[in-house]
Amino acid sequence: MVPRLLAICLLASSLCFAGVTDEVRDQLAHSDFAAAEAALESYRNQQGVTADYLEALSWMARANLLAKRFDRAETYARQTESLSRQLLARRPLDAEPHLPIALGAALEVQAQMLAARGQQTQAVALLRRSLAAYRDTSIQPRLQKNLNLLGLAGQPATPLKIAHYIGPKPVSLSQLNGSPVLLFFWAHWCGDCKAEGPVIARLKSEFGPRGLACSPPHNSTATPPREKTQNLRTNSPT
């Protein structure tokens, strides 16, 4: 009877901590940083450092950065990267989805922190080193995106390929030379992109009369990134 009771208790304990990332994200959505930290500490005490734990830890870094709690964001990002490297000594990065999400977010937050402090060169260098280290993994597109955001700032926009488009044919950027232009890149599978539609419409209504041109390039061949795919699968009704 005692062994059976012990087994039931252990099973219940593991189930309680089965989704620490979801629990932490829920707490952070309500700006309850203390509860999120408590959930992480409790999980680690019971389960140790797992890939799920590291993804939850990376969300702490992202949420603190968004809340402008920069010191905490940097601490969480560095901790996530360090612990991720320890796991990588025993397994491939893409063995499951949690670890690449965690490591990608940790590197992203650190680069954004450097850029926010005016250390653009160091941020670009960090991303380039990371790209060299993880070029053949699922986080390569994420790192490249962040490098583009930093490295292309202040540079002339490259010409857009407009052979395929949705709605009215977009104007080439050369025709808009000298005018402020808002380029909003989106994909058909991206719910967040579509949610930004009303925001883009308001910007166009407010600043269009002052010369702002809006161009929304669409990539019909893009596929959802791994993190987005996972979220879609998790949130889909069964």
Side-chain angles (χ1 to χ4, degrees):
M1 180 65 181
V2 174
R4 179 178 296 179
L5 179 60
L6 178 60
I8 292 174
C9 290
L10 290 174
L11 177 60
S13 175
S14 64
L15 289 175
C16 288
F17 295 106
V20 68
T21 296
D22 291 337
E23 181 179 358
V24 167
R25 290 186 65 179
D26 182 64
Q27 299 291 356
L28 293 175
H30 294 88
S31 299
D32 195 340
F33 289 90
E37 289 173 351
L40 275 170
E41 182 179 1
S42 180
Y43 180 94
R44 184 168 181 174
N45 289 338
Q46 295 289 329
Q47 304 292 322
V49 175
T50 67
D52 189 16
Y53 170 84
L54 291 177
E55 184 184 349
L57 195 65
S58 75
W59 277 103
M60 293 294 292
R62 286 187 266 189
N64 277 277
L65 178 62
L66 186 63
K68 301 188 184 302
R69 298 165 43 143
F70 297 126
D71 289 342
R72 298 296 292 165
E74 184 173 28
T75 297
Y76 281 121
R78 289 183 178 276
Q79 186 180 6
T80 301
E81 182 189 5
S82 176
L83 293 173
S84 295
R85 290 180 182 277
Q86 292 179 30
L87 283 189
L88 286 175
R90 306 192 300 269
R91 49 153 286 183
L93 178 61
D94 290 317
E96 50 72 53
H98 291 296
L99 189 57
I101 292 173
L103 181 58
L107 296 170
E108 179 179 88
V109 168
Q110 290 181 68
Q112 291 175 353
M113 288 290 303
L114 289 169
R117 292 170 175 163
Q119 298 174 288
Q120 189 93 354
T121 302
Q122 292 89 330
V124 169
L126 168 66
L127 291 169
R128 285 178 175 163
R129 288 196 305 271
S130 301
L131 267 174
Y134 304 109
R135 183 169 300 279
D136 297 323
T137 70
S138 64
I139 68 173
Q140 185 272 338
R142 181 176 199 158
L143 296 171
Q144 186 64 58
K145 177 199 73 175
N146 281 274
L147 181 60
N148 290 344
L149 289 172
L150 293 176
L152 296 179
Q155 301 297 319
T158 56
L160 299 176
K161 296 180 180 179
I162 55 177
H164 304 283
Y165 52 88
I166 297 175
K169 184 176 181 179
V171 177
S172 67
L173 293 182
S174 61
Q175 294 177 266
L176 300 172
N177 190 32
S179 300
V181 180
L182 171 62
L183 293 176
F184 180 66
F185 294 89
W186 66 288
H188 58 283
W189 45 260
C190 178
D192 292 339
C193 300
K194 296 176 182 178
E196 294 294 333
V199 177
I200 303 300
R202 287 198 300 272
L203 289 173
K204 184 175 182 180
S205 176
E206 181 176 354
F207 297 103
R210 301 189 225 175
L212 176 68
C214 297
S215 179
H218 170 260
N219 190 342
S220 61
T221 62
T223 56
R226 190 166 187 171
E227 182 173 7
K228 177 64 70 174
T229 303
Q230 180 196 28
N231 289 341
L232 288 173
R233 188 182 302 116
T234 301
N235 296 329
S236 298
T238 54

